[in-house]
Amino acid sequence: MQHYDSIIIGAGQAGPPLAGRLTAAGMKVAIIERKLFGGTCVNTGCTPTKAMIASAYAAQLARRAAEYGVVIGSTIDVDMKAVKARKDAIVEQSRTWIETSLKAMKNCTVYEDHARFESPKEIRVGNEVLSADRIFINVGGRAVVPALPGVSEIPYLTNSSMMDVDFLPKHLVIVGGGYVGLEFGQMFRRFGPEVTIIEMGSHLIRREGEEISTAIEDILRKEGVNLRLDAECIGFRPHADGVSVTVDCKEGAPEVIGSHVLLAVGRRPNTDDLGIEKAGIATDKRGYIVVDDQLRTNVPGIWALGDCNGKGAFTHTTYNDYEIVAANLLDGDSRRVSDRITAYNIYIDPPLGRAGLTEAEARKSTRNLLVGQRPMTKVGRAVEKGETNGFIKILVDGDSKQFVGAAILGTGGDEVIHCILDMMYAKAEYTIMQRAVHIHPTVSELLPTVLEELKPVAAPATNTTNATA
Ligand SMILES: Cc1cc2nc3c(=O)[nH]c(=O)nc-3n(C[C@H](O)[C@H](O)[C@H](O)COP(=O)(O)OP(=O)(O)OC[C@H]3O[C@@H](n4cnc5c(N)ncnc54)[C@H](O)[C@@H]3O)c2cc1C
């Protein structure tokens, strides 16, 4: 049996940097990857989708070229083989970099096989059993295939198999109105096909609150994405033209006929085939590994990082998990998951940048809640760019003067949100930003102005009727 100081299972977003820190600290490390180096983010998640979204943006801008006085003089067609080839090249570069740097890492042995616990300190990889004093689980998750009627009788796509699509489907039907469904939905509509998003709830991305959901629904509808909300009974059956999806919505036809179906109804952790029961590692009822604030499992010497611990579902939260574990183990720095502020983007166009609490959460937890809001039609930079969909909304605590949350749905919102996120980490009073001189012309330059116009949240909402114009 080969013994290591540390074994890392999964070369996703936490495993590789952790291997770097542990080996640099003099440990002998094994890292085990069963499939693709870089995991979901690099191969079937963030990187490829954002590369494809860039192609979709280019197509959309080309269609709008005349609005900018640019003459293209022909119809805009999308070559999906070229879109995929561009995406594949970007992914390949990232994956290869991770793989080669791990394989070149001194004191690090890379195993390419499925890992399974044999005991709290032993891992089986193929025919070998490895042992270690410390084991770090970074196994990520995969798309849920919901137990909906007829699902086993139809061909369906997930975010993983979407990566092989090098053709334009006639009509892509997406089940699930979360961020994965929205990103693929707008992207494929911009590539040309008919797209229908089916959502069981009354709104897309309901967590964001009605105002944001409605604005995003308007944006997508204006681009010709069909939305079927309140789809309470979803079922599938094969159809001569592809797949019939029964929707049973309050409005519209009872079924949608699509050439292809993408299931985007959530993710589940890869903990069902890891032998965790042999190690006695506790999971919750959805299979997420239970960890404390320093990402330790209930079994001494075993940690869980990234999507598999249910504490975050993003690359930046996974990477932060690595930072927390490394800080506690190697630096004597007691970083905690609870130090983290919720923040993420939804990469539709315009993007939604989010930090801190949603308005609904803030209303419950903040006594003296103040809100500032501005439609992107009143942001010079957005007007100049011809991208005026969306709005800026900032929530602050009138007593502590600290930021509570923000949503920036608008051009550059994915970057601008960091102005607020950093203030939140600094626990700084919003009055500091009020007096900051931001650069003109930018979206960020309007943040101090929005803060000048704060009102109690109970006051009548600022008029945002033209926010999505
Ligand atoms: C379509 C889509 C778009 C996304 N876009 C974004 C985005 O824009 N921004 C963002 O922050 N996040 C995004 N995410 C989420 C992001 O991809 C994940 O949060 C992130 O990849 C989680 O990293 P991880 O290391 O926990 O898991 P993963 O990246 O999934 O890595 C886990 C690794 O473990 C390996 N593994 C699993 N089980 C075993 C085993 N038993 N033995 C050996 N190896 C094993 C897997 O093969 C995999 O390589 C997106 C996700 C999807 C699906």
Side-chain angles (χ1 to χ4, degrees):
M1 187 188 306
Q2 188 72 34
H3 182 78
Y4 291 91
D5 296 316
S6 295
I7 294 176
I8 300 168
I9 308 174
Q13 295 302 304
L18 186 61
R21 281 299 313 273
L22 296 174
T23 51
M27 290 186 205
K28 192 177 153 203
V29 174
I31 186 162
I32 310 165
E33 173 52 56
R34 71 176 174 191
K35 209 169 171 198
L36 298 171
F37 289 85
T40 306
C41 182
V42 167
N43 298 287
T44 59
C46 337
T47 306
T49 53
K50 271 78 247 180
M52 291 165 80
I53 283 169
S55 294
Y57 180 78
Q60 185 71 356
L61 201 57
R63 277 185 204 108
R64 294 184 57 211
E67 290 176 38
Y68 297 85
V70 176
V71 181
I72 289 185
S74 67
T75 55
I76 304 303
D77 293 321
V78 170
D79 175 351
M80 261 324 271
K81 286 201 173 13
V83 169
K84 180 176 178 293
R86 175 181 181 275
K87 177 267 293 179
D88 286 345
I90 294 168
V91 167
E92 171 82 27
Q93 191 181 25
S94 187
R95 180 174 56 230
T96 306
W97 183 83
I98 294 170
E99 181 173 351
T100 49
S101 35
L102 277 176
K103 287 182 175 167
M105 199 177 278
K106 199 164 161 255
N107 277 334
C108 180
T109 307
V110 178
Y111 292 83
E112 292 181 68
D113 211 328
H114 186 96
R116 221 178 276 275
F117 279 91
E118 289 282 326
S119 76
K121 295 212 180 295
E122 291 168 317
I123 302 288
R124 172 170 294 281
V125 197
N127 295 327
E128 286 185 72
V129 177
L130 318 178
S131 66
D133 308 319
R134 297 175 200 81
I135 298 178
F136 303 92
I137 307 171
N138 176 219
V139 291
R142 62 183 185 274
V144 166
V145 176
L148 291 169
V151 74
S152 58
E153 285 148 44
I154 55 139
Y156 56 79
L157 295 156
T158 65
N159 69 289
S160 298
S161 47
M162 281 300 282
M163 295 301 123
D164 300 327
V165 172
D166 63 355
F167 57 90
L168 292 172
K170 189 161 178 282
H171 182 179
L172 179 64
V173 177
I174 300 174
V175 180
Y179 82 91
V180 173
L182 265 53
E183 290 182 6
F184 276 115
Q186 188 184 45
M187 176 204 304
F188 270 81
R189 180 65 197 137
R190 288 177 168 198
F191 289 154
E194 187 175 0
V195 171
T196 301
I197 300 177
I198 297 174
E199 163 59 43
M200 287 181 172
S202 53
H203 281 293
L204 302 177
I205 48 159
R206 262 175 309 166
R207 181 184 184 279
E208 303 303 331
E210 194 169 335
E211 188 181 24
I212 292 174
S213 291
T214 306
I216 289 176
E217 288 159 12
D218 284 352
I219 289 166
L220 294 178
R221 281 197 179 104
K222 278 182 189 149
E223 291 194 21
V225 177
N226 309 311
L227 303 183
R228 300 298 305 269
L229 307 174
D230 288 313
E232 282 164 6
C233 293
I234 300 175
F236 308 92
R237 64 184 168 79
H239 186 276
D241 292 329
V243 176
S244 160
V245 189
T246 47
V247 284
D248 198 16
C249 299
K250 285 181 188 139
E251 294 169 17
E255 64 176 354
V256 178
I257 312 295
S259 59
H260 294 79
V261 171
L262 164 63
L263 298 178
V265 294
R267 316 243 334 137
R268 56 177 293 189
N270 289 327
T271 52
D272 49 340
D273 53 3
L274 195 55
I276 45 176
E277 58 293 340
K278 288 197 180 167
I281 300 167
T283 56
D284 68 14
K285 58 180 187 305
R286 294 190 303 152
Y288 289 98
I289 297 172
V290 178
V291 290
D292 67 11
D293 215 13
Q294 290 176 43
L295 302 164
R296 295 173 295 204
T297 69
N298 62 312
V299 180
I302 303 181
W303 289 254
L305 302 85
D307 281 12
C308 69
N309 66 25
K311 296 264 183 197
F314 299 102
T315 286
H316 47 278
T317 51
T318 300
Y319 190 82
N320 181 233
D321 282 1
Y322 138 69
E323 294 175 315
I324 292 166
V325 169
N328 280 280
L329 262 180
L330 303 172
D331 303 334
D333 181 357
S334 62
R335 293 180 71 170
R336 296 280 190 279
V337 179
S338 51
D339 296 336
R340 191 152 77 204
I341 296 168
T342 301
Y344 50 88
N345 287 331
I346 297 182
Y347 290 91
I348 51 165
D349 176 29
L352 172 69
R354 279 268 303 108
L357 302 184
T358 63
E359 185 171 343
E361 290 164 345
R363 279 175 185 267
K364 281 187 216 142
S365 65
T366 314
R367 201 171 48 87
N368 182 11
L369 186 65
L370 304 179
V371 60
Q373 190 157 351
R374 189 175 195 89
M376 296 303 281
T377 47
K378 292 191 181 166
V379 175
R381 179 77 171 136
V383 174
E384 289 145 13
K385 289 173 80 177
E387 299 185 348
T388 52
N389 280 331
F391 55 87
I392 299 170
K393 188 164 199 171
I394 303 176
L395 302 163
V396 306
D397 182 330
D399 296 328
S400 70
K401 302 218 171 342
Q402 290 189 9
F403 289 87
V404 174
I408 303 179
L409 175 66
T411 184
D414 50 341
E415 300 288 348
V416 177
I417 193 70
H418 291 89
C419 293
I420 294 176
L421 189 57
D422 288 347
M423 294 291 283
M424 293 178 80
Y425 274 108
K427 297 190 182 353
E429 297 186 357
Y430 73 81
T431 46
I432 294 174
M433 188 186 274
Q434 255 178 343
R435 297 172 73 105
V437 181
H438 284 188
I439 297 165
H440 173 77
T442 57
V443 176
S444 309
E445 79 175 313
L446 268 304
L447 299 181
T449 312
V450 172
L451 295 171
E452 288 296 336
E453 295 165 359
L454 291 171
K455 293 188 177 69
V457 84
T462 312
N463 182 4
T464 56
T465 49
N466 60 355
T468 59

